[in-house]
Amino acid sequence: MQKSLHIDPVKCTGCLQCEMACSFEHTGVVNPSKSRIKVFNFEHEGRKVPYTCTQCSDAWCMHSCPVEAIVLDSATGAKVVKEATCVGCKVCTIACPFGTVNYMADVGKVQKCDLCGGDPECAKACPTGAITYIDSEGTGLDRMRAWAAKSLPAAA
């Protein structure tokens, strides 16, 4: 059974432990600017909301890549960027309707959540349980899939 990240923004305190864990896992340094999960601060509402790639089943980023640098990890369901293949054209950043594929100017490549190979560091680092890694059925993935299907052009 596939698992996915489930985010409960009500539990988020904005501690940024998820961003720090993600950046350390992927770059070896604690630098939230290099994180693949972002915590947004809605100051007027007094809320913090973590947000990352939803691993769409019909991933626009993957289908738009002209060099097939984004591939499906069949074990985790993650769409993973092959850095050696990515040419940094940013087409995937445009194709993603959720804005969760990011261009990293310092390396000239894109990056996105890869679920840490099935053991997401962000979920392990979250002290409040705002980010959990659970069976996909409980995350609303089916609702997202239905919404995504509505945006497809009708077959001619």
Side-chain angles (χ1 to χ4, degrees):
M1 176 169 287
Q2 294 278 312
K3 295 177 81 173
S4 61
L5 290 171
H6 176 68
I7 296 173
D8 183 349
V10 173
K11 294 180 179 177
C12 181
T13 63
C15 70
L16 305 182
Q17 292 289 316
C18 56
E19 290 187 5
M20 291 188 272
C22 177
S23 66
F24 188 76
E25 172 67 14
H26 292 94
T27 66
V29 296
V30 175
N31 183 346
S33 72
K34 297 188 179 296
S35 175
R36 298 167 186 202
I37 186 167
K38 301 292 181 197
V39 177
F40 294 100
N41 183 11
F42 295 90
E43 286 182 31
H44 297 298
E45 298 165 17
R47 297 183 331 160
K48 317 280 188 195
V49 179
Y51 195 71
T52 191
C53 177
T54 59
Q55 308 298 341
C56 303
S57 62
D58 194 20
W60 290 285
C61 63
M62 187 169 70
H63 296 304
S64 69
C65 181
V67 295
E68 299 181 358
I70 301 176
V71 297
L72 171 66
D73 179 331
S74 59
T76 65
K79 282 56 177 190
V80 178
V81 177
K82 296 190 309 189
E83 285 190 29
T85 305
C86 178
V87 295
C89 68
K90 304 184 225 173
V91 171
C92 56
T93 66
I94 297 166
C96 176
F98 307 110
T100 59
V101 182
N102 301 302
Y103 178 73
M104 302 302 293
D106 59 336
V107 293
K109 310 278 184 180
V110 297
Q111 69 173 16
K112 62 176 286 311
C113 175
D114 61 2
L115 298 174
C116 297
D119 192 20
E121 293 296 323
C122 58
K124 291 192 297 188
C126 182
T128 63
I131 304 168
T132 53
Y133 190 55
I134 62 175
D135 290 338
S136 296
E137 298 301 319
T139 62
L141 191 61
D142 289 338
R143 285 181 295 166
M144 285 194 298
R145 188 171 289 137
W147 180 87
K150 287 180 183 177
S151 67
L152 294 174

